[in-house]
């Protein structure tokens, strides 16, 4: 398959959507389902299924690059205490990854076969959009007990990990569910968001690895180019998206994202009523 200029533009657009929506709590899956209905790459279904997961590697590399020094426990610039705190952070990340890792391995295929529908995506977009607004109103007069990432305890990390399990349902948003869990159990918006970013590293690397193994390692030159362009675009856009979100939440809450989710969910429902389920 020769890769045309149009296919390159489609790949870049998909990378932009991934980079924007992976970190904002608005569901990358919901957006990708809609985008894929109108902008279809000229590839096999099996390759596309793999691509939509592996493109996340570009997004996660943005987190690694932006936070490399913070995440590196062997940095020569760190004191012994700082190195110990970094190792402790990674332990909390691993603890938080266990629930989604176990449930994901057991039920991921079932979820993909029975929950990957427009009605499910629309419902979860709207439900968690409302939940964001309700939680922000509830938290208006509450003071977070965890205002620094190093103060995040293992119990709260595990609870956030349990909330991450909810994101196995398409349209929920991995970042959205974990941020909600963090805020509900005492973390500040900034701490919940930062921990969500770090929590994504093993989750996305693991999911991408499994998809690559399942697809196999036999690619055409065009397919390799699509993967590289998609991941590179997602990487660049993710850096901008992450920086924006961390600045935004210093002076704003998540209500705007809640309203956005509700509107998008209504659009998906309208599309479903007038056009049909884009997934089936």
């Amino acid at each position: 398959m020769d890769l045309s200029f149009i296919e390159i533009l489609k790949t870049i657009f998909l990378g932009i959507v991934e980079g924007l929506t992976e970190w904002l709590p608005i569901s990358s899956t919901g957006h990708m389902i809609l985008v894929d209905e109108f902008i279809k790459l000229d590839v096999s279904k099996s390759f596309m299924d793999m691509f939509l997961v592996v493109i996340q590697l570009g997004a996660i590399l943005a987190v690694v690059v932006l936070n490399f020094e913070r995440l590196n426990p062997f940095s020569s610039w760190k004191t012994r205490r700082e190195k110990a705190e970094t190792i402790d952070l990674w332990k909390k990340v691993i603890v938080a990854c266990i629930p989604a890792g176990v449930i994901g391995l057991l039920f991921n295929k079932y979820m993909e076969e029975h929950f990957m529908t427009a009605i499910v995506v629309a419902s979860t977009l709207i439900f968690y959009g409302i939940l964001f607004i309700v939680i922000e109103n509830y938290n208006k007069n509450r003071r977070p007990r965890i205002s620094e990432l190093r103060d995040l305890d293992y119990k709260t990390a595990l609870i956030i990990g349990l909330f991450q399990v909810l994101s196995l349902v398409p349209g929920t948003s991995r970042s959205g569910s974990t941020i909600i869990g963090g805020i509900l159990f005492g973390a500040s918006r900034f701490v919940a968001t930062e921990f969500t970013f770090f929590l994504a590293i093993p989750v996305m690397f693991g999911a991408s690895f499994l998809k690559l193994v399942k697809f196999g390692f036999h690619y055409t030159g065009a397919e390799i180019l699509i993967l590289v362009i998609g991941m590179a675009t997602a990487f660049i856009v993710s850096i901008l998206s992450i920086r924006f979100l961390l600045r935004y939440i210093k002076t704003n809450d998540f209500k705007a994202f809640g309203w956005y989710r509700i509107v998008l969910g209504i659009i998906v429902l309208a599309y479903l009523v007038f056009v049909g389920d884009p997934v089936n």
Side-chain angles (χ1 to χ4, degrees), residues 156-177:
T156 306
L158 179 59
I159 290 172
I160 292 173
L162 290 171
F163 270 81
Q164 184 173 232
V165 174
L166 298 174
S167 67
L168 293 174
V169 179
T172 298
S173 170
R174 191 200 58 79
S175 61
S177 61

Side-chain angles (χ1 to χ4, degrees), residues 180-221:
I180 284 174
I183 292 175
L184 271 178
F185 286 87
S188 68
R189 295 186 192 95
F190 198 86
V191 169
T193 303
E194 272 201 316
F195 189 68
T196 291
F197 290 165
F198 300 153
L199 184 56
I201 296 174
V203 170
M204 289 186 182
F205 271 117
S208 297
F209 176 76
L210 290 175
K211 280 291 183 180
L212 285 170
V213 170
K214 182 178 179 181
F215 181 80
F217 294 92
H218 305 289
Y219 302 94
T220 65

Side-chain angles (χ1 to χ4, degrees), residues 78-108:
K78 290 183 176 180
T79 64
R80 181 176 296 180
R81 179 180 177 180
E82 289 172 333
K83 290 178 180 179
E85 287 178 350
T86 304
I87 292 173
D88 194 50
L89 171 61
W90 276 111
K91 289 179 180 178
K92 293 169 187 174
V93 167
I94 292 171
V95 167
C97 284
I98 292 173
V102 173
I103 301 299
L105 286 173
L106 292 175
F107 298 104
N108 183 60

Side-chain angles (χ1 to χ4, degrees), residues 12-244:
I12 291 173
F13 188 78
L14 288 169
I16 291 172
V17 173
E18 167 61 28
L20 280 174
T21 60
E22 186 61 52
W23 305 113
L24 304 182
I26 54 178
S27 175
S28 59
T29 302
H31 286 76
M32 283 295 194
I33 285 176
L34 289 178
V35 171
D36 184 50
E37 176 65 11
F38 297 102
I39 304 177
K40 292 185 178 294
L41 285 175
D42 185 20
V43 295
S44 66
K45 185 181 184 303
S46 60
F47 177 84
M48 194 63 194
D49 289 343
M50 179 272 296
F51 173 77
L52 291 178
V53 174
V54 176
I55 193 176
Q56 296 174 343
L57 282 178
I60 200 59
L61 284 174
V63 174
V64 175
V65 169
L66 287 173
N67 298 277
F68 183 77
E69 193 65 24
R70 292 187 64 192
L71 295 171
N72 181 11
F74 308 108
S75 172
S76 59
W77 297 98
K78 290 183 176 180
T79 64
R80 181 176 296 180
R81 179 180 177 180
E82 289 172 333
K83 290 178 180 179
E85 287 178 350
T86 304
I87 292 173
D88 194 50
L89 171 61
W90 276 111
K91 289 179 180 178
K92 293 169 187 174
V93 167
I94 292 171
V95 167
C97 284
I98 292 173
V102 173
I103 301 299
L105 286 173
L106 292 175
F107 298 104
N108 183 60
K109 184 177 180 181
Y110 179 87
M111 293 286 188
E112 287 183 350
E113 292 175 350
H114 296 86
F115 288 86
M116 188 63 76
T117 65
I119 188 66
V120 170
V121 170
S123 300
T124 51
L125 281 170
I126 294 171
F127 175 76
Y128 287 99
I130 294 171
L131 197 58
F132 261 120
I133 295 170
V134 170
I135 289 172
E136 286 291 7
N137 287 333
Y138 170 70
N139 268 345
K140 189 178 295 183
N141 298 316
R142 293 177 72 210
R143 188 179 184 87
R145 63 180 179 82
I146 304 171
S147 55
E148 296 288 341
L149 189 58
R150 63 174 174 269
D151 297 328
L152 184 74
D153 55 275
Y154 282 89
K155 179 182 177 181
T156 306
L158 179 59
I159 290 172
I160 292 173
L162 290 171
F163 270 81
Q164 184 173 232
V165 174
L166 298 174
S167 67
L168 293 174
V169 179
T172 298
S173 170
R174 191 200 58 79
S175 61
S177 61
T178 51
I179 287 171
I180 284 174
I183 292 175
L184 271 178
F185 286 87
S188 68
R189 295 186 192 95
F190 198 86
V191 169
T193 303
E194 272 201 316
F195 189 68
T196 291
F197 290 165
F198 300 153
L199 184 56
I201 296 174
V203 170
M204 289 186 182
F205 271 117
S208 297
F209 176 76
L210 290 175
K211 280 291 183 180
L212 285 170
V213 170
K214 182 178 179 181
F215 181 80
F217 294 92
H218 305 289
Y219 302 94
T220 65
E223 289 173 338
I224 292 174
L225 193 55
I226 285 174
L227 282 174
V228 171
I229 292 173
M231 287 190 291
T233 304
F235 171 79
I236 294 169
V237 176
S238 287
I239 287 179
L240 301 175
S241 178
I242 291 167
R243 286 176 172 171
F244 161 75

